[in-house]
Amino acid sequence: MSDTSITLTDPSTGKQIELPIIHGTEGAPVLDIGKLHKEFGYFTYDPGFVSTASCQSTITYLDGSEGTLMYRGYPIEQLAERCNYLEVCHLILTGELPNAEQKVAFERTIRNHTMINENLKAFFDGFRYDAHPMAMMTGVVGSLSAFYHDKLDIRDPEHRMHTAYRLIAKIPTIAAAAYKHSIGEPFIYPRSDLSYTGNLLHMMYARPTQEYRLDPVAEKALDVLFTLHADHEQNASTSTVRLAGSSGANPYAAIAAGIASLWGPAHGGANEAVLRMLDEIGDVSNIDKYIAKAKDKEDPFRLMGFGHRVYRNFDPRAQIIKEICHEVLKTYGNDPRMELAMRLEEIALEDAYFVERKLYPNVDFYSGIIYAALGLPVEMFTVMFAIGRTVGWIAHWMEMISEPGQKIGRPRQLYTGPARRDVLTLEQR
Ligand code: SDX
């Protein structure tokens, strides 16, 4: 019995195949099935990729049973407490936290790329006033390759990193423009004298008519939220970026595909769905009714903000966000939805259905309450998730595209359609 491979025997032929076991730094080892179809005639079958590792990565590690999340080996709790978001961006992009000199240089680089081409403003005029900001983000980010094609040789490491700087710097400007468009106010230009999140808040809330006073509580809360959302291994939107980019498509198109995937309510769209759910529940007296709906297999309703494909214990990010929530609400006044959310969490976590299925609050459960306290409309909640996650997406794109022997992603299938049949003439049909 080898601990370096697993042997399979085909029951119909008695033929055997050895599948190598590959161990990583942490976590479950993998079975290399690369030869399985060619030598053994089988595909593996794993809808939703529950047990499938799509790649090797050095960026993020998470352990669902331990509730562990690390970026490049650093625990999320320490990063959230000791670093700001741009330091975490430097870590995720380069593999190392910046020293004091590198931190100043990186922040200056990002600040130099925050403006967007003036012609892009016309794109926003083309959207209806009530267009969902995620639709605007998907469209405008996808169009960036039309403006920034000077550094699009994806095989050139310098071009790749330059594109990363541009995306990290411009995403808040595009997000703020989408918000301003949706409220019919003039765009506010980025400023180089503000922090990354201070700049975003200024572009969203400043008006030509009056000075905007930045609130350090909001600035800090957003900065930690972006750190908590920065990356998360091979989640649906990151896997979308990798697959889209694997064809050699330009990185702006790949990131736009990731934004589109994040929008779904089962993924990043959940933070918006949580607030809508809390508004629909309305009062603690209705919680039991909605818990029953969430458990009813005939009812499509799910408890938004609960459950996770990987975390079968607690989501470490939810724990940190819950604390930030309390801090923010000390300044912005208590939001009855916070009490409702905490009561909902309490009741759900006592219910056998949720306990048996290990359905705990995830990153999206509390973040919406903070965004609401900061005055954001629910339509902007997933946009905030996209801002934080952009660095993770572009880091995974860079890792994928620079992989030696990088190939286009092309999964197979189990065909269950009609067997071969002949086309009848029109008269015969
Ligand atoms: C994010 O992948 C990532 O890392 C994502 C993310 C990131 O940072 O990128 O962490 C961000 O997307 C967080 C998740 C946000 N989504 C939501 O909060 C939406 C509500 N959650 C569910 O849709 C669900 O829990 C998922 C999509 C998150 C996970 O779904 P899975 O892993 O496919 O689990 P499943 O559907 O197989 O559910 C297992 C069981 C089922 O019941 P049984 O068939 O076993 O009886 O649990 C039930 C499900 O019906 N279940 C729920 C539930 N989530 C799962 N029942 C009620 N409410 C829920 N929320």
Side-chain angles (χ1 to χ4, degrees):
M1 180 72 173
S2 156
D3 66 354
T4 57
S5 66
I6 285 183
T7 304
L8 296 181
T9 304
D10 185 337
S12 55
T13 63
K15 187 178 174 191
Q16 291 196 322
I17 184 169
E18 276 205 34
L19 300 176
I21 298 171
I22 307 174
H23 292 270
T25 318
E26 304 260 3
V30 298
L31 275 184
D32 181 347
I33 58 165
K35 297 181 305 198
L36 188 65
H37 181 248
K38 191 174 171 200
E39 293 189 12
F40 217 47
Y42 285 89
F43 295 138
T44 56
Y45 183 61
D46 183 18
F49 307 118
V50 178
S51 305
T52 295
S54 60
C55 62
Q56 292 190 30
S57 180
T58 61
I59 300 171
T60 291
Y61 173 70
L62 55 97
D63 181 314
S65 51
E66 297 297 319
T68 304
L69 173 58
M70 303 193 297
Y71 297 155
R72 304 284 190 181
Y74 292 106
I76 191 66
E77 296 80 4
Q78 294 183 23
L79 291 170
E81 189 188 331
R82 303 176 193 173
C83 303
N84 71 19
Y85 176 66
L86 284 186
E87 288 176 272
V88 170
C89 285
H90 186 283
L91 170 67
I92 289 175
L93 284 179
T94 69
E96 295 301 335
L97 283 167
N99 60 32
E101 190 185 328
Q102 289 164 333
K103 179 176 181 219
V104 170
F106 186 73
E107 288 178 343
R108 186 184 316 113
T109 299
I110 296 300
R111 285 194 180 120
N112 287 344
H113 287 285
T114 51
M115 287 186 70
I116 55 176
N117 186 298
E118 280 292 292
N119 294 339
L120 264 172
K121 290 170 69 176
F123 277 64
F124 289 95
D125 296 338
F127 290 106
R128 267 173 58 109
Y129 69 93
D130 57 355
H132 195 291
M134 283 298 279
M136 293 191 250
M137 292 288 285
T138 307
V140 174
V141 170
S143 74
L144 290 178
S145 62
F147 294 87
Y148 302 108
H149 38 67
D150 58 328
K151 298 261 184 188
L152 270 185
D153 174 0
I154 58 177
R155 302 296 164 200
D156 181 335
E158 193 276 326
H159 283 206
R160 294 199 292 264
M161 190 57 86
H162 198 92
T163 300
Y165 296 152
R166 279 174 160 162
L167 276 161
I168 292 166
K170 297 180 193 303
I171 283 278
T173 310
I174 294 167
Y179 174 63
K180 284 298 198 187
H181 177 77
S182 68
I183 56 174
E185 286 190 7
F187 296 165
I188 299 294
Y189 283 99
R191 282 178 29 182
S192 296
D193 60 331
L194 300 177
S195 71
Y196 189 80
T197 47
N199 204 10
L200 172 63
L201 289 165
H202 184 264
M203 290 188 286
M204 285 173 60
Y205 294 125
R207 289 185 175 137
T209 51
Q210 72 219 42
E211 271 308 301
Y212 170 71
R213 192 180 53 78
L214 266 179
D215 170 12
V217 171
E219 211 173 341
K220 174 68 179 162
L222 269 190
D223 193 270
V224 177
L225 281 172
F226 287 162
T227 289
L228 297 176
H229 285 82
D231 192 48
H232 214 240
E233 202 216 57
Q234 303 308 322
N235 58 86
S237 54
T238 300
S239 297
T240 301
V241 170
R242 280 178 170 263
L243 191 57
S246 73
S247 70
N250 75 73
Y252 299 106
I255 300 297
I259 294 173
S261 170
L262 183 77
W263 194 1
H267 190 14
N271 55 17
E272 175 178 346
V274 166
L275 260 288
R276 294 188 191 283
M277 174 186 74
L278 292 173
D279 287 340
E280 188 183 334
I281 293 174
D283 181 81
V284 174
S285 60
N286 297 324
I287 287 180
D288 290 342
K289 183 178 93 179
Y290 280 88
I291 294 263
K293 279 171 62 72
K295 292 156 59 172
D296 177 359
K297 291 304 168 202
E298 300 310 309
D299 190 325
F301 175 79
R302 285 198 162 181
L303 220 46
M304 302 317 281
F306 272 78
H308 197 277
R309 170 61 58 77
V310 179
Y311 289 124
R312 294 311 187 199
N313 202 321
F314 58 92
D315 181 337
R317 302 167 298 177
Q319 312 282 315
I320 299 170
I321 290 180
K322 190 173 175 179
E323 287 162 33
I324 300 171
C325 248
H326 289 299
E327 277 311 302
V328 167
L329 294 177
K330 275 182 199 158
T331 306
Y332 287 83
N334 205 12
D335 179 337
R337 291 174 294 194
M338 177 69 181
E339 303 307 317
L340 184 57
M342 289 177 64
R343 192 75 190 99
L344 179 61
E345 178 187 13
E346 223 175 275
I347 294 172
L349 296 187
E350 287 161 3
D351 186 296
Y353 173 93
F354 292 89
V355 175
E356 282 158 16
R357 291 167 180 78
K358 301 184 181 303
L359 302 176
Y360 298 89
N362 57 47
V363 67
D364 293 300
F365 187 64
Y366 285 106
S367 55
I369 294 167
I370 297 175
Y371 296 141
L374 300 181
L376 276 165
V378 285
E379 294 79 13
M380 284 294 289
F381 290 6
T382 309
V383 172
M384 307 307 274
F385 194 141
I387 295 173
R389 184 56 54 88
T390 292
V391 63
W393 287 331
I394 195 67
H396 279 277
W397 173 80
M398 290 162 76
E399 185 176 67
M400 176 277 301
I401 208 74
S402 54
E403 188 82 36
Q406 182 267 327
K407 287 200 288 277
I408 188 169
R410 206 279 186 216
R412 300 306 301 273
Q413 63 174 17
L414 175 69
Y415 176 68
T416 54
R420 187 191 183 287
R421 53 184 172 163
D422 295 325
V423 175
L424 302 179
T425 62
L426 199 54
E427 291 68 33
Q428 291 168 320
R429 272 177 256 159

